[in-house]
Coordinates of all heavy atoms in Angstrom, one line a residue:
M216 N 148.2 108.8 118.1 CA 146.9 109.0 118.3 C 146.2 107.7 118.7 O 146.4 106.7 118.0 CB 146.2 109.6 117.1 CG 144.8 110.0 117.4 SD 143.9 110.7 115.9 CE 144.5 112.3 116.0
S217 N 145.4 107.7 119.7 CA 144.7 106.5 120.2 C 143.3 106.5 119.7 O 142.6 107.5 119.7 CB 144.8 106.4 121.7 OG 144.0 105.3 122.1
T218 N 142.8 105.3 119.3 CA 141.4 105.2 118.9 C 140.6 104.5 120.0 O 139.4 104.1 119.7 CB 141.3 104.3 117.6 OG1 141.9 103.0 117.9 CG2 142.0 105.0 116.5
Q219 N 141.1 104.4 121.1 CA 140.4 103.7 122.2 C 139.1 104.4 122.6 O 138.1 103.8 122.8 CB 141.3 103.6 123.4 CG 140.7 102.8 124.6 CD 141.6 102.6 125.8 OE1 142.7 103.1 125.7 NE2 141.2 101.9 126.8
L220 N 139.2 105.7 122.7 CA 138.0 106.5 123.0 C 136.9 106.3 122.0 O 135.7 106.2 122.3 CB 138.3 108.0 123.1 CG 139.0 108.4 124.4 CD1 139.3 109.9 124.4 CD2 138.0 108.1 125.6
A221 N 137.2 106.3 120.7 CA 136.3 106.2 119.6 C 135.6 104.8 119.7 O 134.4 104.7 119.5 CB 136.9 106.4 118.3
T222 N 136.3 103.8 120.0 CA 135.7 102.4 120.1 C 134.8 102.3 121.3 O 133.8 101.6 121.3 CB 136.8 101.3 120.1 OG1 137.7 101.6 121.1 CG2 137.5 101.3 118.7
E223 N 135.2 103.0 122.4 CA 134.4 103.0 123.6 C 133.0 103.7 123.4 O 132.0 103.2 123.8 CB 135.1 103.6 124.8 CG 136.2 102.7 125.3 CD 137.0 103.4 126.4 OE1 136.4 104.4 127.0 OE2 138.1 103.0 126.8
V224 N 133.1 104.8 122.6 CA 131.9 105.5 122.3 C 131.0 104.6 121.4 O 129.7 104.6 121.6 CB 132.2 106.8 121.6 CG1 130.9 107.5 121.1 CG2 132.9 107.8 122.6
L225 N 131.5 103.9 120.5 CA 130.7 103.1 119.6 C 130.1 101.9 120.4 O 129.0 101.5 120.1 CB 131.6 102.5 118.5 CG 132.0 103.6 117.4 CD1 132.9 102.9 116.4 CD2 130.8 104.2 116.7
R226 N 130.8 101.4 121.4 CA 130.2 100.3 122.1 C 129.1 100.7 123.0 O 128.2 99.9 123.4 CB 131.3 99.7 123.0 CG 132.3 98.9 122.2 CD 133.3 98.2 123.1 NE 134.4 97.7 122.3 CZ 135.7 97.5 122.7 NH1 136.0 97.9 123.9 NH2 136.6 97.0 121.9
T227 N 129.1 102.0 123.5 CA 128.0 102.4 124.4 C 126.7 102.9 123.6 O 125.8 103.4 124.2 CB 128.5 103.6 125.2 OG1 128.9 104.7 124.4 CG2 129.6 103.1 126.1
R228 N 126.7 102.7 122.3 CA 125.5 103.1 121.6 C 124.3 102.3 122.0 O 124.3 101.1 122.2 CB 125.8 102.8 120.1 CG 124.6 103.2 119.2 CD 124.9 103.0 117.8 NE 125.4 104.2 117.2 CZ 125.8 104.3 116.0 NH1 125.8 103.3 115.2 NH2 126.3 105.5 115.6
V229 N 123.2 103.1 122.2 CA 122.0 102.5 122.7 C 121.2 101.9 121.5 O 121.0 102.6 120.5 CB 121.2 103.5 123.5 CG1 119.8 102.9 123.9 CG2 122.0 104.0 124.6
R230 N 120.7 100.7 121.6 CA 119.9 100.1 120.6 C 118.4 100.5 120.8 O 117.9 100.3 121.9 CB 120.0 98.6 120.5 CG 121.5 98.2 120.2 CD 121.6 96.8 119.9 NE 121.8 96.8 118.4 CZ 121.6 95.9 117.6 NH1 121.0 94.8 118.1 NH2 121.9 95.9 116.4
C231 N 117.7 100.9 119.8 CA 116.3 101.3 119.9 C 115.5 100.0 119.7 O 115.7 99.2 118.8 CB 115.9 102.3 118.9 SG 116.7 103.9 119.2
S232 N 114.4 99.9 120.5 CA 113.5 98.8 120.3 C 112.6 99.1 119.1 O 112.5 100.2 118.6 CB 112.7 98.5 121.6 OG 111.8 99.6 121.8
A233 N 111.9 98.0 118.7 CA 111.0 98.2 117.6 C 109.8 99.2 117.9 O 109.4 100.0 117.1 CB 110.4 96.9 117.2
R234 N 109.4 99.1 119.2 CA 108.3 100.1 119.6 C 108.8 101.5 119.5 O 108.0 102.4 119.0 CB 108.0 99.8 121.1 CG 107.1 98.6 121.3 CD 106.8 98.5 122.8 NE 106.1 97.3 123.0 CZ 105.8 96.9 124.2 NH1 106.1 97.6 125.3 NH2 105.2 95.7 124.4
V235 N 110.0 101.8 119.9 CA 110.5 103.2 119.8 C 110.6 103.6 118.4 O 110.2 104.7 118.0 CB 111.9 103.3 120.6 CG1 112.5 104.6 120.3 CG2 111.7 103.0 122.0
R236 N 111.1 102.7 117.5 CA 111.2 103.1 116.1 C 109.8 103.3 115.5 O 109.6 104.3 114.7 CB 111.9 102.0 115.3 CG 113.3 101.9 115.6 CD 114.0 100.9 114.7 NE 115.4 100.7 115.1 CZ 116.0 99.6 115.1 NH1 115.4 98.5 114.7 NH2 117.2 99.5 115.5
V237 N 108.8 102.5 115.8 CA 107.5 102.7 115.2 C 106.9 104.0 115.8 O 106.3 104.8 115.0 CB 106.6 101.5 115.5 CG1 105.2 101.7 115.2 CG2 107.1 100.2 114.8
L238 N 107.0 104.2 117.1 CA 106.4 105.4 117.6 C 107.1 106.7 117.1 O 106.4 107.7 116.8 CB 106.5 105.4 119.2 CG 105.5 104.5 119.9 CD1 105.8 104.4 121.4 CD2 104.1 104.9 119.6
S239 N 108.4 106.6 116.9 CA 109.1 107.8 116.4 C 108.8 108.0 115.0 O 108.9 109.2 114.5 CB 110.6 107.5 116.6 OG 111.0 107.4 117.9
G240 N 108.4 107.0 114.2 CA 108.1 107.2 112.8 C 106.6 107.6 112.5 O 106.3 108.0 111.4
L241 N 105.7 107.5 113.6 CA 104.3 107.9 113.3 C 104.1 109.4 113.0 O 103.4 109.7 112.0 CB 103.5 107.6 114.6 CG 103.1 106.1 114.8 CD1 102.4 105.9 116.1 CD2 102.4 105.6 113.6
G242 N 104.8 110.3 113.7 CA 104.6 111.7 113.4 C 105.1 112.1 112.0 O 104.3 112.6 111.2
P243 N 106.3 111.8 111.7 CA 106.8 112.1 110.4 C 106.1 111.4 109.2 O 105.8 112.1 108.2 CB 108.3 111.7 110.4 CG 108.7 111.7 111.8 CD 107.4 111.3 112.6
S244 N 105.7 110.2 109.4 CA 104.9 109.5 108.3 C 103.5 110.2 108.2 O 103.0 110.3 107.1 CB 104.8 108.0 108.6 OG 104.1 107.8 109.8
T245 N 102.9 110.6 109.3 CA 101.6 111.3 109.2 C 101.8 112.6 108.5 O 100.9 113.0 107.6 CB 101.0 111.5 110.6 OG1 100.9 110.3 111.2 CG2 99.7 112.2 110.5
I246 N 102.9 113.4 108.7 CA 103.1 114.6 108.1 C 103.3 114.4 106.6 O 102.8 115.1 105.7 CB 104.3 115.3 108.7 CG1 104.0 115.7 110.1 CG2 104.8 116.5 107.9 CD1 105.2 116.1 111.0
V247 N 104.1 113.4 106.2 CA 104.3 113.1 104.8 C 103.0 112.7 104.1 O 102.7 113.1 103.0 CB 105.4 112.0 104.7 CG1 105.5 111.5 103.2 CG2 106.7 112.5 105.1
A248 N 102.2 111.9 104.8 CA 100.9 111.5 104.2 C 100.0 112.7 104.0 O 99.4 112.8 102.9 CB 100.2 110.5 105.2
G249 N 100.0 113.7 104.9 CA 99.2 114.9 104.7 C 99.8 115.7 103.5 O 99.0 116.2 102.7
G250 N 101.1 115.8 103.4 CA 101.7 116.5 102.3 C 101.4 115.8 100.9 O 101.1 116.5 99.9
V251 N 101.5 114.5 100.9 CA 101.2 113.7 99.7 C 99.7 113.9 99.3 O 99.4 114.1 98.1 CB 101.5 112.2 99.8 CG1 101.0 111.4 98.7 CG2 103.0 112.1 99.9
W252 N 98.8 113.9 100.3 CA 97.4 114.1 100.1 C 97.1 115.4 99.5 O 96.4 115.6 98.5 CB 96.6 113.9 101.4 CG 95.1 114.0 101.3 CD1 94.4 113.9 100.1 CD2 94.2 114.1 102.3 NE1 93.0 114.0 100.4 CE2 92.9 114.1 101.8 CE3 94.3 114.1 103.7 CZ2 91.8 114.2 102.6 CZ3 93.2 114.2 104.5 CH2 91.9 114.3 103.9
A253 N 97.8 116.5 100.0 CA 97.6 117.8 99.5 C 98.2 117.9 98.1 O 97.6 118.7 97.3 CB 98.3 118.8 100.4
A254 N 99.3 117.2 97.8 CA 99.9 117.3 96.5 C 99.0 116.5 95.4 O 98.9 117.0 94.3 CB 101.3 116.7 96.5
L255 N 98.4 115.4 95.8 CA 97.6 114.6 94.9 C 96.2 115.2 94.7 O 95.6 115.0 93.6 CB 97.5 113.2 95.4 CG 98.8 112.4 95.4 CD1 98.5 111.0 96.0 CD2 99.3 112.3 94.0
Q256 N 95.7 115.9 95.7 CA 94.4 116.5 95.5 C 94.4 118.0 95.9 O 93.9 118.4 96.9 CB 93.4 115.8 96.4 CG 93.2 114.3 96.1 CD 92.2 113.7 97.0 OE1 92.0 114.1 98.1 NE2 91.6 112.6 96.5
P257 N 95.1 118.8 95.0 CA 95.2 120.2 95.4 C 93.9 121.0 95.4 O 93.8 122.0 96.1 CB 96.1 120.8 94.3 CG 96.0 119.8 93.2 CD 95.7 118.5 93.8
Y258 N 92.8 120.4 94.8 CA 91.5 121.1 94.9 C 91.0 121.1 96.3 O 90.1 121.8 96.6 CB 90.5 120.4 93.9 CG 90.3 119.0 94.1 CD1 89.4 118.5 95.0 CD2 91.1 118.0 93.4 CE1 89.2 117.2 95.2 CE2 90.9 116.7 93.6 CZ 89.9 116.2 94.5 OH 89.8 114.9 94.7
R259 N 91.5 120.2 97.2 CA 91.0 120.2 98.6 C 91.6 121.4 99.4 O 91.0 121.7 100.4 CB 91.4 118.9 99.3 CG 90.6 117.7 98.8 CD 90.9 116.6 99.7 NE 90.1 115.4 99.4 CZ 88.9 115.2 99.9 NH1 88.3 116.0 100.7 NH2 88.2 114.1 99.5
L260 N 92.6 122.0 98.9 CA 93.2 123.1 99.5 C 92.5 124.4 99.0 O 92.8 125.0 98.1 CB 94.7 123.3 99.3 CG 95.6 122.1 99.8 CD1 97.0 122.3 99.4 CD2 95.5 122.1 101.3
T261 N 91.4 124.7 99.7 CA 90.5 125.8 99.3 C 91.2 127.2 99.3 O 90.7 128.1 98.8 CB 89.2 125.8 100.1 OG1 89.6 125.9 101.4 CG2 88.4 124.6 99.8
L262 N 92.4 127.3 100.0 CA 93.1 128.5 100.0 C 93.6 128.9 98.6 O 93.9 130.0 98.2 CB 94.2 128.5 101.0 CG 93.9 128.5 102.4 CD1 95.1 128.4 103.3 CD2 93.1 129.7 102.8
L263 N 93.7 127.8 97.7 CA 94.2 128.1 96.4 C 93.1 128.7 95.5 O 93.4 129.3 94.5 CB 94.7 126.7 95.8 CG 95.8 126.1 96.5 CD1 96.1 124.7 95.8 CD2 97.0 126.9 96.5
H264 N 91.9 128.5 95.8 CA 90.8 129.1 95.1 C 89.6 129.4 96.0 O 88.6 128.7 96.0 CB 90.3 128.1 94.0 CG 90.1 126.7 94.4 ND1 88.9 126.3 95.1 CD2 90.9 125.7 94.3 CE1 89.0 125.1 95.4 NE2 90.2 124.6 94.9
P265 N 89.7 130.5 96.8 CA 88.7 130.8 97.8 C 87.5 131.6 97.4 O 86.7 132.1 98.2 CB 89.5 131.7 98.8 CG 90.5 132.4 97.9 CD 90.9 131.4 96.8
H266 N 87.2 131.6 96.1 CA 86.1 132.4 95.6 C 84.8 131.9 96.1 O 84.4 130.7 95.9 CB 86.1 132.4 94.1 CG 87.4 132.9 93.5 ND1 87.9 134.1 93.6 CD2 88.4 132.2 92.8 CE1 89.1 134.2 93.0 NE2 89.4 133.1 92.5
G267 N 84.1 132.8 96.8 CA 82.7 132.5 97.3 C 82.7 131.5 98.5 O 81.6 131.0 98.8
Q268 N 83.8 131.3 99.1 CA 83.8 130.4 100.3 C 83.8 131.2 101.6 O 84.5 132.3 101.7 CB 85.0 129.5 100.2 CG 85.2 128.7 99.0 CD 84.0 127.8 98.7 OE1 83.4 127.3 99.6 NE2 83.7 127.5 97.5
G269 N 83.2 130.7 102.6 CA 83.2 131.3 103.9 C 84.4 130.9 104.7 O 85.2 130.1 104.3
F270 N 84.5 131.5 105.9 CA 85.6 131.3 106.8 C 85.8 129.8 107.1 O 86.9 129.3 107.0 CB 85.5 132.1 108.1 CG 86.5 131.7 109.1 CD1 87.9 132.2 108.9 CD2 86.2 130.9 110.2 CE1 88.8 131.8 109.9 CE2 87.2 130.6 111.1 CZ 88.5 131.0 111.0
W271 N 84.7 129.1 107.5 CA 84.9 127.7 108.0 C 85.2 126.8 106.8 O 85.9 125.8 107.0 CB 83.6 127.3 108.7 CG 83.5 128.0 110.0 CD1 82.6 128.9 110.3 CD2 84.3 127.8 111.1 NE1 82.8 129.4 111.6 CE2 83.8 128.7 112.1 CE3 85.4 127.0 111.4 CZ2 84.4 128.8 113.4 CZ3 86.0 127.1 112.7 CH2 85.5 128.0 113.6
W272 N 84.8 127.1 105.7 CA 85.1 126.3 104.5 C 86.6 126.4 104.2 O 87.3 125.5 103.9 CB 84.3 126.7 103.3 CG 84.6 125.8 102.1 CD1 85.5 126.1 101.1 CD2 84.1 124.5 101.9 NE1 85.5 125.1 100.2 CE2 84.7 124.1 100.6 CE3 83.2 123.7 102.5 CZ2 84.3 122.9 100.1 CZ3 82.9 122.5 102.0 CH2 83.5 122.1 100.8
L273 N 87.2 127.7 104.4 CA 88.6 127.9 104.2 C 89.4 127.3 105.4 O 90.5 126.9 105.2 CB 88.9 129.4 104.1 CG 88.3 130.0 102.8 CD1 88.5 131.5 102.9 CD2 88.9 129.5 101.6
F274 N 88.9 127.4 106.6 CA 89.6 126.9 107.7 C 89.7 125.4 107.8 O 90.8 124.9 108.2 CB 88.9 127.4 109.0 CG 89.6 127.0 110.3 CD1 90.8 127.6 110.7 CD2 89.0 126.0 111.1 CE1 91.4 127.3 111.8 CE2 89.7 125.7 112.3 CZ 90.8 126.3 112.6
A275 N 88.7 124.7 107.4 CA 88.7 123.2 107.5 C 89.3 122.6 106.2 O 88.6 122.3 105.3 CB 87.3 122.7 107.7
E276 N 90.6 122.4 106.2 CA 91.3 121.8 105.1 C 91.9 120.5 105.6 O 92.9 120.5 106.3 CB 92.3 122.8 104.5 CG 91.7 124.0 104.0 CD 92.6 124.9 103.3 OE1 93.6 124.4 102.8 OE2 92.3 126.1 103.1
P277 N 91.3 119.4 105.2 CA 91.7 118.1 105.8 C 93.2 117.8 105.6 O 93.9 117.3 106.6 CB 90.9 117.1 105.1 CG 89.7 117.8 104.7 CD 90.1 119.2 104.4
P278 N 93.9 118.0 104.5 CA 95.3 117.7 104.4 C 96.1 118.5 105.4 O 97.1 118.0 106.0 CB 95.7 118.0 103.0 CG 94.4 118.0 102.2 CD 93.3 118.4 103.1
L279 N 95.8 119.7 105.6 CA 96.5 120.5 106.6 C 96.3 120.1 108.0 O 97.2 120.2 108.8 CB 96.2 122.0 106.4 CG 96.5 122.6 105.0 CD1 96.2 124.1 105.0 CD2 97.9 122.4 104.6
F280 N 95.1 119.6 108.3 CA 94.8 119.0 109.6 C 95.6 117.8 109.8 O 96.1 117.6 110.9 CB 93.3 118.6 109.7 CG 92.4 119.8 110.0 CD1 91.1 119.8 109.6 CD2 92.8 120.9 110.7 CE1 90.2 120.8 109.9 CE2 92.0 122.0 111.0 CZ 90.7 121.9 110.6
V281 N 95.8 117.0 108.8 CA 96.6 115.7 109.0 C 98.1 116.1 109.3 O 98.7 115.5 110.2 CB 96.5 114.9 107.7 CG1 97.5 113.7 107.7 CG2 95.1 114.3 107.5
V282 N 98.6 117.1 108.6 CA 100.0 117.6 108.8 C 100.0 118.2 110.3 O 101.0 117.9 111.0 CB 100.4 118.7 107.8 CG1 101.7 119.3 108.2 CG2 100.5 118.0 106.4
A283 N 99.1 118.9 110.7 CA 99.0 119.5 112.0 C 99.0 118.4 113.1 O 99.7 118.5 114.1 CB 97.9 120.5 112.2
V284 N 98.2 117.4 112.9 CA 98.1 116.3 113.9 C 99.5 115.6 113.9 O 99.9 115.2 115.0 CB 97.0 115.3 113.5 CG1 97.1 114.0 114.3 CG2 95.7 116.0 113.8
G285 N 100.1 115.4 112.8 CA 101.5 114.7 112.8 C 102.5 115.6 113.6 O 103.3 115.0 114.4
L286 N 102.4 116.9 113.4 CA 103.3 117.8 114.2 C 103.1 117.7 115.7 O 104.0 117.7 116.5 CB 103.2 119.2 113.6 CG 103.9 119.5 112.3 CD1 103.5 120.8 111.7 CD2 105.4 119.3 112.4
L287 N 101.8 117.8 116.0 CA 101.4 117.8 117.4 C 101.8 116.5 118.1 O 102.3 116.5 119.2 CB 99.9 118.0 117.6 CG 99.4 119.4 117.3 CD1 97.9 119.5 117.3 CD2 100.0 120.4 118.3
F288 N 101.6 115.4 117.4 CA 102.0 114.1 118.0 C 103.5 114.0 118.2 O 104.0 113.6 119.2 CB 101.5 112.9 117.0 CG 102.0 111.6 117.5 CD1 101.3 110.9 118.5 CD2 103.1 111.0 117.0 CE1 101.7 109.7 119.0 CE2 103.6 109.8 117.5 CZ 102.9 109.1 118.5
H289 N 104.2 114.5 117.2 CA 105.7 114.4 117.2 C 106.3 115.2 118.3 O 107.2 114.8 119.0 CB 106.3 114.7 115.9 CG 107.8 114.5 115.8 ND1 108.3 113.2 115.8 CD2 108.8 115.3 115.8 CE1 109.6 113.3 115.7 NE2 110.0 114.6 115.8
F290 N 105.7 116.4 118.5 CA 106.4 117.3 119.5 C 105.7 117.4 120.8 O 106.4 117.7 121.8 CB 106.4 118.8 118.9 CG 107.3 118.9 117.8 CD1 106.9 119.1 116.5 CD2 108.7 118.8 118.0 CE1 107.8 119.2 115.4 CE2 109.6 119.0 116.9 CZ 109.1 119.2 115.7
L291 N 104.5 116.9 121.0 CA 103.8 117.0 122.3 C 103.6 115.6 122.9 O 103.7 115.5 124.1 CB 102.4 117.7 122.1 CG 102.5 119.2 121.7 CD1 101.1 119.8 121.6 CD2 103.4 120.0 122.7
V292 N 103.2 114.6 122.1 CA 102.8 113.3 122.7 C 104.0 112.4 122.7 O 104.2 111.7 123.7 CB 101.7 112.7 121.8 CG1 101.3 111.3 122.3 CG2 100.5 113.6 121.8
L293 N 104.8 112.3 121.7 CA 105.9 111.4 121.6 C 106.9 111.5 122.7 O 107.3 110.4 123.2 CB 106.6 111.5 120.2 CG 107.7 110.5 119.9 CD1 107.2 109.1 119.9 CD2 108.4 110.9 118.6
P294 N 107.3 112.6 123.1 CA 108.3 112.7 124.2 C 107.8 112.0 125.5 O 108.6 111.2 126.1 CB 108.6 114.2 124.5 CG 108.3 114.8 123.2 CD 107.1 114.0 122.6
G295 N 106.6 112.1 125.8 CA 106.0 111.5 127.0 C 105.9 110.0 126.8 O 106.2 109.2 127.7
L296 N 105.5 109.5 125.6 CA 105.5 108.1 125.3 C 106.9 107.4 125.4 O 107.0 106.4 126.0 CB 104.9 107.8 124.0 CG 103.4 108.0 123.8 CD1 103.0 107.9 122.3 CD2 102.6 107.1 124.6
L297 N 107.9 108.1 124.9 CA 109.2 107.6 124.9 C 109.7 107.5 126.4 O 110.4 106.6 126.8 CB 110.1 108.4 124.0 CG 109.9 108.3 122.5 CD1 110.8 109.1 121.7 CD2 109.9 106.8 122.0
A298 N 109.4 108.6 127.1 CA 109.8 108.6 128.5 C 109.2 107.4 129.3 O 109.8 106.8 130.1 CB 109.5 109.9 129.2
D299 N 107.9 107.2 129.0 CA 107.2 106.1 129.7 C 107.8 104.7 129.3 O 108.0 103.8 130.2 CB 105.7 106.1 129.4 CG 105.0 107.2 130.1 OD1 105.5 107.7 131.1 OD2 103.8 107.4 129.8
L300 N 108.1 104.6 128.0 CA 108.8 103.3 127.6 C 110.1 103.2 128.3 O 110.5 102.0 128.7 CB 108.9 103.3 126.1 CG 107.7 103.0 125.3 CD1 108.0 103.1 123.8 CD2 107.3 101.6 125.6
E301 N 110.9 104.2 128.4 CA 112.2 104.2 129.0 C 112.1 103.8 130.5 O 112.8 103.1 131.0 CB 113.0 105.5 128.8 CG 114.4 105.4 129.2 CD 115.2 104.5 128.3 OE1 114.9 104.4 127.1 OE2 116.2 103.9 128.8
R302 N 111.1 104.4 131.2 CA 110.9 104.2 132.6 C 110.4 102.7 132.8 O 110.7 102.1 133.8 CB 109.8 105.1 133.1 CG 109.9 105.4 134.5 CD 109.0 106.5 135.0 NE 108.8 107.6 134.0 CZ 107.7 108.2 133.8 NH1 106.6 107.8 134.4 NH2 107.6 109.2 132.9
G303 N 109.7 102.2 131.9 CA 109.2 100.8 132.0 C 110.3 99.8 131.9 O 110.2 98.6 132.4
K304 N 111.4 100.1 131.2 CA 112.5 99.2 131.0 C 113.2 98.9 132.4 O 113.6 97.8 132.6 CB 113.6 99.8 130.1 CG 113.3 99.6 128.7 CD 114.5 100.1 127.9 CE 114.2 100.1 126.4 NZ 115.4 100.6 125.7
G305 N 113.4 99.9 133.2 CA 114.2 99.8 134.4 C 113.5 99.2 135.5 O 113.7 98.3 136.2

């Protein structure tokens, strides 16, 4: 059995720049921050105790907005940013 193919694959590994690593980590870190915020201040999640609250009070839950923004950034904004960074290299 030859290991030549395996070593060739390892040599062609692409190194990520610091910008790519930071941008890729923004979405997940924002999601984690929203989750930690929700865990540390559960009284902010008004769905847990909706007595006497209107729709907008229940709808506007800041920790969940932070999680939603992290998800939107990661899935909608980040691919375009990474493509622009990759295009700028060449």
